[in-house]
C-alpha cells in the first residue's frame, strides 16, 4: 500500500511541476489551478501515508529552516499588509508551497523517486528550450 501511495505521489508531483511550467508559468490563478489541484492531491496522499504508517519518520535537513522562516515571515507580513486580498492570496500560495516542500522533502528520498523527478525536469527543460 505504501509503495502505491509513494508512486502515485511521485507521478502526481512530476505532473504538477510540468503543468505549472507549461501553462504560462502559472502566473494567473486560472493557469495555476491544475498544478494546485495536483499539489493538493500530493499533500492528501501524504496525509493518507502518514495516517496509515505505523511509525512516522521525519527527515531532518538544513533547508527546512529557511522554508519555515520564510513562511512565518509571510504570515507576519500578511497581518501588516495594507492590501488584504492580494496578501491573503499570496499567503495561501506560500503556505501551500511550503506544505508541498515538506511533503517532497520527507517522501522523495529514494533514488528512484529522485530519478523520476529529475528526468521529468530534464525532459521539460529540453522541451522548453526547443520551443
Amino acid at each position: 500500500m505504501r509503495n502505491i501511495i509513494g508512486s502515485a505521489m511521485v507521478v502526481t508531483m512530476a505532473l504538477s511541476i510540468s503543468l505549472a511550467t507549461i501553462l504560462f508559468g502559472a502566473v494567473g490563478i486560472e493557469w495555476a489551478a491544475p498544478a494546485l489541484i495536483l499539489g493538493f492531491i500530493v499533500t492528501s496522499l501524504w496525509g493518507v501515508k502518514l495516517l496509515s504508517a505505523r511509525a512516522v519518520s521525519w527527515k531532518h535537513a538544513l533547508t527546512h529552516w529557511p522554508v519555515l522562516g520564510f513562511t512565518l515571515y509571510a504570515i507576519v507580513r500578511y497581518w501588516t499588509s495594507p492590501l488584504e486580498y492580494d496578501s491573503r492570496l499570496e499567503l495561501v500560495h506560500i503556505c501551500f508551497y511550503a506544505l508541498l516542500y515538506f511533503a517532497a522533502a520527507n517522501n522523495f528520498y529514494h533514488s528512484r523517486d529522485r530519478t523520476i523527478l529529475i528526468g521529468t525536469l530534464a525532459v521539460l527543460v529540453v522541451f522548453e528550450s526547443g520551443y
Side-chain angles (χ1 to χ4, degrees), residues 72-131:
L72 292 174
Y73 168 75
I75 292 170
V76 169
R77 272 304 277 166
Y78 166 70
W79 293 108
T80 61
S81 175
L83 302 171
E84 183 182 355
Y85 176 75
D86 292 333
S87 301
R88 186 181 321 124
L89 186 62
E90 293 301 321
L91 179 66
V92 167
H93 283 161
I94 289 170
C95 290
F96 182 70
Y97 295 139
L99 183 64
L100 269 179
Y101 164 78
F102 286 114
N106 287 303
N107 288 300
F108 304 144
Y109 51 87
H110 296 297
S111 62
R112 177 184 57 100
D113 300 339
R114 287 191 306 256
T115 302
I116 291 171
L117 289 174
I118 291 172
T120 302
L121 288 174
V123 168
L124 187 61
V125 165
V126 169
F127 172 74
E128 291 267 328
S129 298
Y131 181 69

